[in-house]
C-alpha cells in the first residue's frame, strides 16, 4: 500500500559554500508499493500514452514500470534465474513503429572486465502493460550506462554504450586499459532490426556516467563523459568526433581520482555549470563554472564533503527562479548527522558562489539513481529516487507555493 507523509528537511551550516539559513521549498514523500532488489536506474517517460509521466525502473532481475497516477506495477521483462543483474536502459523508438522501446544492459559483472556485459533491447508490445520481447544485440564487458544521441547530426539516433572499465583492466586502479565508448546504429528491415556497432572513443579510463547536452551551443547534441580524466566532451566536428577535457576532476592516484557522475545545469544570464561527484564513487559534490577564456578548463568548486558515496546527479529548476538547483542522491551514510538520501543545493549568492544545502528525508532512500520531472502536471518539478540498501522507490512531491 502507498504511504504518504511530510518529508523532513534539514539544513546544515558547517560547509563553506552552504551557509544560507532557509530551506528550499516544501516536500511530501510518497513511498511506492514496490520492493526492489537494486534500483539501478530510473526514468520518467509516458509509456501508457495518456500524457502523464510514468516511472520506469531497472531492477536486478527485471525491468518494470509504474503507471501514473495509481502507480500500478507492470513487468516488462523478468529473468529471476539470471546469474547476474540488469544495470541500465535507454528509451527510444528502435523499430520505428511509434512506440517506445528500451535498449538495455544486462549481465552486470563489475569485477569481470574480460567477458559478459550483454547489450540488448526490449521491444514494446501493442499494449505496454503486456510482456515485452527481449532481443540480444552483442556483448561488451562491464556495460554500465546507455543513452541515445545524434552525434553526427544525420537525423538518426545512435545508442551510446559506456562500459565502466576498459576490457582487460585490472585492480587496484583499473587504469591500464581504456574504455571503449560504443556507438550502435539500428537499421529497421520489416520486423527485424540490425545494428552497426563502432567505437566512438577509446581515450578514457573508468567511465562512470554520461550526459547528452548542447555544450557548444550550436543546436546539436554533444556527449559529456565522467571518467578518471574528469569531464570530457565528445563533439562532432567536420564529421569526426573530437574528445576534449573540459573539467579536471579530482587529482590523485587511481582509483581515487577523476569524476563519477556528470550533469549540466543552467544559471541566470545564460550561464551554466557542470555538476559532478568526485572522485570515482566519491565523497565530494563538485560544480564547475564556465571559464571566461575559450579553451580553458572549467572552474572547480567543492560544495559538499559530508557524504560517503554520491551516486546520482540531476539539475532542475525547483523554485521558478533563474537558476537550476543541483540535486544529489547519496547512497551510503557518512555519519548519523548527514545521512544517505536526497540533497538539494540552491544558489543564493552568485557573486560569492554561495549555495544552500537542504537534506530531504535523510536516511529514507540509499539513492542509486533518481530523476527529476513533473509527475502530477502542476508545473513543479518532483523527484523520484530509487534505493540500493533500502530496496525502495519514493516520490518527493514538490509542494512549494
Amino acid at each position: 500500500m502507498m504511504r504518504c507523509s511530510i518529508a523532513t528537511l534539514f539544513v546544515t551550516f558547517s560547509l563553506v559554500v552552504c551557509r544560507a539559513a532557509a530551506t528550499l521549498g516544501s516536500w511530501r514523500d510518497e513511498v511506492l508499493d514496490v520492493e526492489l532488489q537494486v534500483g539501478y536506474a530510473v526514468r520518467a517517460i509516458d509509456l501508457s500514452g495518456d500524457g502523464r509521466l510514468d516511472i520506469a525502473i531497472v531492477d536486478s532481475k527485471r525491468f518494470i514500470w509504474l503507471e501514473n497516477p495509481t502507480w500500478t506495477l507492470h513487468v516488462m521483462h523478468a529473468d529471476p534465474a539470471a546469474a547476474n543483474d540488469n544495470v541500465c536502459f535507454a528509451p527510444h523508438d528502435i523499430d520505428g513503429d511509434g512506440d517506445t522501446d528500451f535498449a538495455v544492459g544486462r549481465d552486470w559483472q563489475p569485477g569481470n572486465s574480460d567477458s559478459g556485459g550483454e547489450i540488448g533491447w526490449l521491444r514494446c508490445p501493442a499494449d505496454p502493460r503486456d510482456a515485452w520481447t527481449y532481443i540480444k544485440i552483442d556483448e561488451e564487458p562491464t556495460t554500465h550506462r546507455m543513452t541515445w544521441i545524434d552525434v553526427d547530426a544525420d537525423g538518426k539516433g545512435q545508442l551510446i554504450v559506456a562500459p565502466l572499465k576498459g576490457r582487460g583492466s585490472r585492480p587496484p586502479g583499473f587504469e591500464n586499459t581504456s574504455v571503449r565508448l560504443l556507438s550502435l546504429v539500428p537499421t529497421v528491415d520489416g520486423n527485424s532490426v540490425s545494428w552497426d556497432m563502432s567505437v566512438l572513443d577509446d581515450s578514457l579510463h573508468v567511465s562512470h556516467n554520461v550526459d547528452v547536452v548542447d555544450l557548444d551551443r550550436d543546436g546539436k547534441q554533444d556527449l559529456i563523459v565522467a571518467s578518471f580524466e574528469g569531464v570530457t566532451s565528445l563533439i562532432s566536428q567536420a564529421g569526426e568526433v573530437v574528445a576534449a577535457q573540459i573539467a579536471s576532476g579530482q587529482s590523485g592516484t587511481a582509483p581515487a581520482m577523476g569524476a563519477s557522475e556528470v550533469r549540466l545545469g543552467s544559471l541566470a544570464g545564460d550561464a551554466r555549470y557542470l555538476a559532478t561527484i568526485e572522485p570515482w564513487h566519491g565523497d565530494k559534490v563538485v560544480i564547475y563554472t564556465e571559464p571566461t577564456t575559450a579553451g580553458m578548463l572549467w572552474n572547480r568548486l567543492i560544495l559538499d564533503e559530508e557524504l560517503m558515496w554520491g551516486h546520482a546527479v540531476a539539475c532542475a529548476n525547483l523554485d521558478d527562479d533563474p537558476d537550476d538547483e543541483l540535486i544529489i542522491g547519496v547512497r551510503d551514510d557518512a555519519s548519523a548527522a548527514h545521512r544517505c538520501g536526497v540533497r538539494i543545493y540552491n544558489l543564493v549568492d552568485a557573486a560569492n558562489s554561495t549555495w544552500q544545502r537542504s537534506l530531504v528525508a535523510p536516511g529514507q532512500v540509499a539513492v542509486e539513481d533518481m530523476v527529476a520531472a513533473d509527475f502530477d502536471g502542476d508545473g513543479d518539478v518532483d523527484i523520484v529516487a530509487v534505493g540500493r540498501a533500502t530496496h525502495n522507490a519514493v516520490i518527493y512531491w514538490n509542494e512549494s507555493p
Side-chain angles (χ1 to χ4, degrees):
M1 180 175 293
M2 299 180 190
R3 304 190 297 266
C4 297
S5 63
I6 299 298
T8 305
L9 283 83
F10 300 88
V11 178
T12 62
F13 314 104
S14 59
L15 304 181
V16 173
V17 293
C18 300
R19 297 182 294 228
T23 56
L24 178 70
S26 176
W27 299 88
R28 175 177 58 88
D29 68 298
E30 180 176 344
V31 181
L32 297 176
D33 188 19
V34 57
E35 183 173 354
L36 306 173
Q37 289 182 293
V38 178
Y40 279 104
V42 60
R43 296 289 182 271
I45 185 168
D46 179 12
L47 290 175
S48 67
D50 65 356
R52 293 179 289 200
L53 291 174
D54 306 304
I55 300 171
I57 301 173
V58 176
D59 199 10
S60 298
K61 302 296 188 291
R62 58 185 181 161
F63 297 92
I64 62 176
W65 66 284
L66 306 174
E67 187 170 358
N68 193 345
T70 62
W71 307 119
T72 301
L73 172 67
H74 304 291
V75 178
M76 291 186 280
H77 182 270
D79 188 359
N84 300 298
D85 286 354
N86 308 312
V87 70
C88 59
F89 62 178
H92 186 72
D93 181 9
I94 294 172
D95 56 9
D97 66 355
D99 296 326
T100 298
D101 310 299
F102 280 91
V104 300
R106 306 180 65 202
D107 193 29
W108 171 232
Q109 302 179 59
N112 178 8
S113 64
D114 299 318
S115 62
E118 190 165 296
I119 304 166
W121 66 287
L122 291 171
R123 171 174 268 152
C124 182
D127 185 341
R129 300 167 185 82
D130 295 335
W132 297 37
T133 302
Y134 173 72
I135 304 166
K136 181 178 177 179
I137 300 172
D138 212 321
E139 292 185 358
E140 183 70 13
T142 70
T143 287
H144 185 240
R145 294 287 188 260
M146 291 179 168
T147 191
W148 288 88
I149 188 174
D150 185 4
V151 173
D152 52 11
D154 64 355
K156 299 178 181 178
Q158 303 168 64
L159 173 64
I160 303 300
V161 175
L164 177 64
K165 301 171 183 175
R167 185 187 289 263
S169 61
R170 294 290 181 263
F174 306 102
E175 79 277 31
N176 59 301
T177 306
S178 61
V179 170
R180 302 195 325 160
L181 288 173
L182 303 177
S183 169
L184 286 80
V185 179
T187 298
V188 180
D189 183 8
N191 197 43
S192 65
V193 178
S194 58
W195 298 82
D196 180 18
M197 186 168 73
S198 61
V199 177
L200 185 70
D201 179 82
D202 60 358
S203 65
L204 307 177
H205 300 78
V206 182
S207 166
H208 191 267
N209 215 332
V210 301
D211 195 17
V212 176
V213 300
D214 180 8
L215 189 68
D216 55 3
R217 305 177 191 267
D218 67 349
K220 300 176 183 178
Q221 293 182 328
D222 310 311
L223 192 70
I224 53 177
V225 185
S227 70
F228 277 176
E229 286 75 15
V231 181
T232 301
S233 67
L234 295 175
I235 298 177
S236 181
Q237 299 177 5
E240 180 180 353
V241 175
V242 177
Q245 184 189 36
I246 56 174
S248 64
Q250 178 173 299
S251 61
T253 302
M257 63 185 294
S260 195
E261 308 284 342
V262 63
R263 291 292 183 265
L264 182 69
S266 298
L267 297 172
D270 205 31
R272 300 180 299 180
Y273 66 92
L274 291 167
T276 66
I277 296 292
E278 298 182 5
W280 175 36
H281 281 169
D283 59 354
K284 297 177 182 65
V285 177
V286 180
I287 64 165
Y288 294 85
T289 53
E290 289 185 89
T292 55
T293 303
M296 299 294 290
L297 290 180
W298 291 38
N299 305 300
R300 185 174 187 258
L301 176 66
I302 299 174
L303 289 191
D304 195 348
E305 297 181 82
E306 293 180 330
L307 60 153
M308 182 181 295
W309 194 331
H311 210 262
V313 177
C315 302
N317 195 322
L318 302 176
D319 56 3
D320 294 326
D321 66 4
D323 306 314
D324 280 351
E325 279 65 51
L326 171 58
I327 312 167
I328 296 292
V330 178
R331 197 172 91 172
D332 299 283
D333 289 351
S335 70
H338 312 292
R339 303 192 63 194
C340 66
V342 173
R343 303 183 181 190
I344 299 173
Y345 303 80
N346 181 36
L347 181 62
V348 294
D349 184 351
N352 294 301
S353 298
T354 304
W355 294 68
Q356 162 211 320
R357 182 185 73 181
S358 300
L359 308 184
V360 182
Q364 186 174 41
V365 183
V367 181
E368 181 77 4
D369 197 23
M370 66 184 180
V371 63
D374 182 4
F375 288 96
D376 55 6
D378 66 352
D380 295 324
V381 175
D382 312 300
I383 302 168
V384 172
V386 293
R388 174 177 281 263
T390 48
H391 310 293
N392 55 351
V394 180
I395 304 179
Y396 295 105
W397 295 105
N398 187 346
E399 298 194 331
S400 301

